[in-house]
Amino acid sequence: MPTSTSQLQQGAAISPAMDAAWKRYLEGLEALRQRIFATEMVWRPETHAAAHYFLMNAQASAFTTCFAPKQTYPAFYVHSTFEPNIFTWTLPNPDFHYRWAFIDGTRTYRVWGHRGNTLWLDIQVNRSHWCDDEPTVFGNYQPEGILDADGNFEYILSATDPGPGKHWIKLDPSSRNNVLLIRDTHYDWVNTRGAELHIELHDGLPAGPCFLPEAELERRLDGCLRLMNFVVEHFQPHITTNPQRTGINRFHQSNVNTKGGSHPVAVYLLLPYEIEADEALIIDVEIPQTMYWNIHLGDVWGGTADYVQHQSCLNGAQAHVDADGHARLVLSTQDPGVPNWLDAIGCLHGIAQFRWYKTSKVNVPDVRKVKLADLHQELPAATPRVSREERKRNIDARRAAIMRRYHY
């Protein structure tokens, strides 16, 4: 161990093992960077810039979800997971107020809180995280059946049943890094008051100090690189490979599944789109019987588009549905003056994703590219019009709701 300031300044405090781990990380990061910029997805200026952002986003997300968590000091991460316009990778859903917690499957925890009036509150347990291996879903829980008269709930989380009178969430004891993924669904953004959630270790004081030993830091640094490569390998093919098979401006059902941590009752439809500034896509879909649906935009690297300042997403509580049961959505960079506008925010080449939860059937939308000048002739005559003033009021209300959700 170095004993003087001069030794620390000379770098003697860096062990050979940690030095090797950093070199592996930097070499792997450079290989990943070269891999990203070797794809055909970077040919437009906006997608080129998005690739740089994606790489930095990946590193920041790797720190917050792989390097930083202390499983015996649990907390629900909010701002360091999918905060709008900052942590945008892997297409986070604008309607979900996500929380993540990282816990040890061999320990016992208590989770408690208040249900709020959110549409749907789901607590998902993943066996592990992307930094370890594929985070296969271990179980999903909704507190509706255990609420008290005031809307409060409490769970015990452990590998074994805590016994009578306790509401149990089962953990996987084979993993020291079980992941809790909370989906707190805000359907009516303006009037929803989301869930209140808390977590604590329930089987005694944390074992050991709060800092992590060097051997664990080495392991986690390797995990950061594994996480970033997993995301590129698992998510990017749905954007870069499927268009070659299904074509641009056509929806295909994504095969992202529970091995990536996706919800088992969800269906995902992905649209790689390409338009010009004077064009629009009309996305025509018959809405089936479903608990929840939405559509939102992103860049080609899976970065969710800004939904704080722009109407880049719509859900079943926000979209206008015509008398025939169809929602006709208009994707364009210019405001077409209709309710169901999806603002591409200047991104002429990107992706749109539908999510359906507990749907009676999967209706693949029809997509037509039209000139903006001809748009209203292509839509039903009864399509409502939206003035600039009305649009501004709507976006102002949406922005205020998001800022309240994240305590801005």
Side-chain angles (χ1 to χ4, degrees):
M1 292 287 293
T3 57
S4 70
T5 302
S6 62
Q7 284 178 303
L8 290 173
Q9 290 174 342
Q10 293 168 11
I14 302 176
S15 70
M18 194 62 175
D19 193 50
W22 269 106
K23 288 177 179 177
R24 287 195 301 273
Y25 175 78
L26 294 174
E27 290 171 359
L29 184 64
E30 177 59 20
L32 184 64
R33 188 176 75 95
Q34 294 297 331
R35 177 180 176 182
I36 289 170
F37 281 92
T39 69
E40 297 180 0
M41 306 302 290
V42 297
W43 65 276
R44 286 183 181 270
E46 67 267 27
T47 58
H48 185 85
H52 287 294
Y53 190 92
F54 169 81
L55 193 63
M56 294 300 294
N57 198 339
Q59 292 178 83
S61 298
F63 172 76
T64 60
T65 66
C66 179
F67 201 85
K70 298 178 176 66
Q71 283 74 7
T72 53
Y73 294 81
F76 280 117
Y77 293 11
V78 178
H79 289 83
S80 57
T81 52
F82 291 138
E83 183 177 5
N85 292 334
I86 297 177
F87 292 100
T88 61
W89 78 330
T90 69
L91 278 179
N93 185 349
D95 295 328
F96 290 164
H97 191 193
Y98 294 95
R99 283 90 139 179
W100 288 19
F102 301 85
I103 57 180
D104 185 339
T106 67
R107 303 295 297 268
T108 300
Y109 301 81
R110 182 172 78 103
V111 168
W112 75 101
H114 187 273
R115 172 68 173 73
N117 68 344
T118 185
L119 173 73
W120 190 55
L121 179 64
D122 183 83
I123 304 172
Q124 179 170 305
V125 181
N126 293 335
R127 295 178 186 271
S128 58
H129 191 42
W130 299 324
C131 56
D132 303 310
D133 52 35
E134 293 183 344
T136 308
V137 175
F138 194 59
N140 290 84
Y141 303 82
Q142 297 85 41
E144 276 72 16
I146 68 168
L147 299 176
D148 68 14
D150 296 320
N152 300 304
F153 62 90
E154 178 180 303
Y155 285 104
I156 299 298
L157 290 69
S158 59
T160 57
D161 192 332
K166 303 292 185 181
H167 302 295
W168 181 34
I169 290 180
K170 186 177 182 179
L171 301 182
D172 181 3
S174 70
S175 170
R176 305 299 293 269
N177 190 28
N178 282 208
V179 181
L180 300 184
L181 169 57
I182 308 299
R183 294 177 175 91
D184 182 2
T185 310
H186 291 231
Y187 219 30
D188 177 351
W189 289 10
V190 172
N191 295 306
T192 294
R193 298 298 181 269
E196 174 189 326
L197 288 164
H198 309 277
I199 184 171
E200 67 178 9
L201 193 65
H202 194 57
D203 59 4
L205 295 175
C210 186
F211 66 84
L212 299 170
E214 186 173 281
E216 176 64 10
L217 295 179
E218 294 164 11
R219 189 191 71 81
R220 292 189 180 202
L221 194 57
D222 287 337
C224 288
L225 191 60
R226 190 159 47 245
L227 176 148
M228 289 186 284
N229 278 289
F230 174 81
V231 168
V232 169
E233 293 167 2
H234 188 78
F235 289 95
Q236 288 309 121
H238 308 300
I239 301 170
T240 58
T241 303
N242 281 322
Q244 299 172 15
R245 184 173 67 249
T246 63
I248 299 293
N249 296 336
R250 292 180 61 188
F251 275 98
H252 62 268
Q253 186 166 336
S254 173
N255 61 355
V256 173
N257 53 37
T258 57
K259 288 187 177 180
S262 301
H263 200 287
V265 302
V267 175
Y268 304 87
L269 299 175
L270 194 68
L271 170 82
Y273 76 80
E274 185 175 347
I275 57 173
E276 298 298 334
D278 63 345
E279 294 177 329
L281 295 182
I282 298 176
I283 301 170
D284 186 337
V285 60
E286 182 181 2
I287 305 299
Q289 184 176 5
T290 183
M291 181 197 75
Y292 165 88
W293 71 268
N294 90 328
I295 182 172
H296 70 92
L297 304 185
D299 62 45
V300 297
W301 300 104
T304 294
D306 171 35
Y307 54 89
V308 180
Q309 307 288 343
H310 300 272
Q311 186 173 289
S312 62
C313 61
L314 290 167
N315 64 39
Q318 298 166 339
H320 171 80
V321 178
D322 292 324
D324 60 359
H326 286 240
R328 293 172 174 89
L329 311 154
V330 177
L331 192 164
S332 63
T333 60
Q334 300 179 49
D335 189 345
V338 297
N340 292 345
W341 178 37
L342 293 170
D343 185 357
I345 321 175
C347 189
L348 301 176
H349 188 193
I351 56 177
Q353 183 174 65
F354 261 107
R355 279 177 171 86
W356 307 88
Y357 275 69
K358 296 185 178 180
T359 184
S360 58
K361 60 179 179 177
V362 178
N363 293 331
V364 178
D366 175 70
V367 180
R368 290 180 292 139
K369 183 191 288 188
V370 300
K371 291 292 186 181
L372 275 170
D374 301 327
L375 176 67
H376 291 284
Q377 300 174 28
E378 301 288 339
L379 294 172
T383 301
R385 298 297 183 98
V386 176
S387 68
R388 289 188 178 184
E389 293 76 17
E390 186 178 354
R391 182 79 73 200
K392 183 180 184 304
R393 287 195 300 271
N394 184 43
I395 291 176
D396 286 348
R398 288 165 59 103
R399 180 175 60 251
I402 290 294
M403 295 180 76
R404 181 179 64 245
R405 189 192 306 177
Y406 284 90
H407 304 288
Y408 290 163

